[in-house]
Amino acid sequence: MPESTAQKVGESTPVPLLNLKGQYATIRDEIGVAIQRVLDSQVFILGPEVDALEAEIAAYSHCAHGIGVSSGTDALLVALMAIDIKPGDEVITTPFTAIPTVSAIVRAGATPRFVDIDSRTLLMRVDLIEAAVGPRTKAIMPVHIFGAVVPMSDVLEIARSRGLAVIEDAAQAHGSSSRGRRAGTFGDLGCFSFYPTKNLGGYGDGGMIVTDNPARAAELRRRRNYGKTHADYSVSDGVNTRLDELQAAMLSVKLPHLDEMNARRAAAAVRYRDGLAGTPIEFLEVPDGCVSNHHVLTVRVPERRDALRAHLESAGVQSTVFYPVPLYDQEAFRRFRAPGGEPCPETARACRQVLSIPLFPEMHTSDIDRVVAAIREFFHAGRRA
Ligand SMILES: *Cc1c(COP(=O)(O)O)cnc(C)c1O
């Protein structure tokens, strides 16, 4: 190794935003058994492993049906197809979310209508929904961002009085709950992602929709599989978006660990909160009665956010910004921006101030303390300057 790239003595390894290797190490053998079982069966699509995972996720969610699909984005897309979204229909959602929330709405032919977020929780402001409802509004898509659950009883009340469907984007909220009820089970349909970095992450792409409605469940099963009822009879538009047997088998190994992994995330979040007390860092709030799965630890840095990021990087601490731009300012979605000035000022402010710092179930407390020390050092140096 050339001198210049050799690690200096005493220099510690970087703290990553997320490290999946530690978790894999704890279940490596079980995962191996699951893979071998599927290979031995030579059944790869819509077989017993998908059936089993669908039943397990439904049971975990206290919900009647789970329908496996090939990603979280497709879960949203197929859910929109199942409520019969037509071109020109509008779906009310938040501009402070991952791109796929809105990609799915647009892909389904609908138009996103954005409402601003609450500055304390970064969740869509439910009191703004009513004013966004118009003659073309078909659905509301609340997003449980970073694991915090949108106050759903208020959303459902508006939806019922206006005859709208509710599709929850629960991709970041696996294991979160509100007043004892799981995220994803409040609305007509709840959509989950098994993207590797999600709290219940697979080893590739995958997703699931949950519902209590048997007719909707049957409809979703058709839509994910070319609109087919049974062998070579198709009754509606459909796509190919199936969860595969290998992913399902591996996810069945991980699901029993989900609550414990989420509890570890919560403990890490508490340590951060204690460690950063007295600094300008602001922690987000969760709505009353909500238990977050701590999908991502996002904090607010009221000023000099980017300088703090640079400082963390030089201290070997990874961080990122979820999300840097309101979605209506993304090139792909600019045509959906409401005319006039800044349509969602709290979203714009959040995009300038948020910072996501390392958090994962297997994170060592010494690494949390290193991140805390690096942040404290930044503000301390700032005071001296
Ligand atoms: C990850 C994510 C999705 C999409 O899930 P994929 O499985 O990556 O398609 C949708 N919405 C939100 C809020 C997400 O975080």
Side-chain angles (χ1 to χ4, degrees), residues 260-301:
E260 195 216 314
M261 291 189 299
N262 286 348
R264 285 165 180 256
R265 288 174 187 268
V270 168
R271 195 171 180 94
Y272 269 123
R273 204 180 266 270
D274 293 346
L276 292 170
T279 70
I281 295 285
E282 293 169 14
F283 283 78
L284 303 181
E285 292 174 25
V286 296
D288 281 346
C290 162
V291 178
S292 170
N293 69 357
H294 295 89
H295 171 58
V296 172
L297 185 66
T298 297
V299 296
R300 219 183 236 285
V301 190

Side-chain angles (χ1 to χ4, degrees), residues 92 113-118 124-133 158 343-346:
I92 296 172
R113 277 289 302 262
F114 296 108
V115 299
D116 206 359
I117 55 174
D118 183 302
M124 88 194 279
R125 262 180 64 186
V126 176
D127 61 317
L128 296 179
I129 294 176
E130 192 87 57
V133 177
I158 298 166
C344 298
E346 278 306 333

Side-chain angles (χ1 to χ4, degrees), residues 304 377-385:
R304 298 204 299 141
E377 185 184 70
F378 173 80
F379 288 115
H380 193 68
R383 245 200 329 274
R384 273 194 320 244

Side-chain angles (χ1 to χ4, degrees), residues 71-73 76 97-98 100-101 143 169 171-172 193 195 198 205-206 323:
S71 71
T73 312
L76 296 169
T97 176
T101 308
V143 184
D169 182 342
Q172 299 188 3
S193 164
Y195 185 77
K198 301 288 151 98
D205 275 316
Y323 295 95

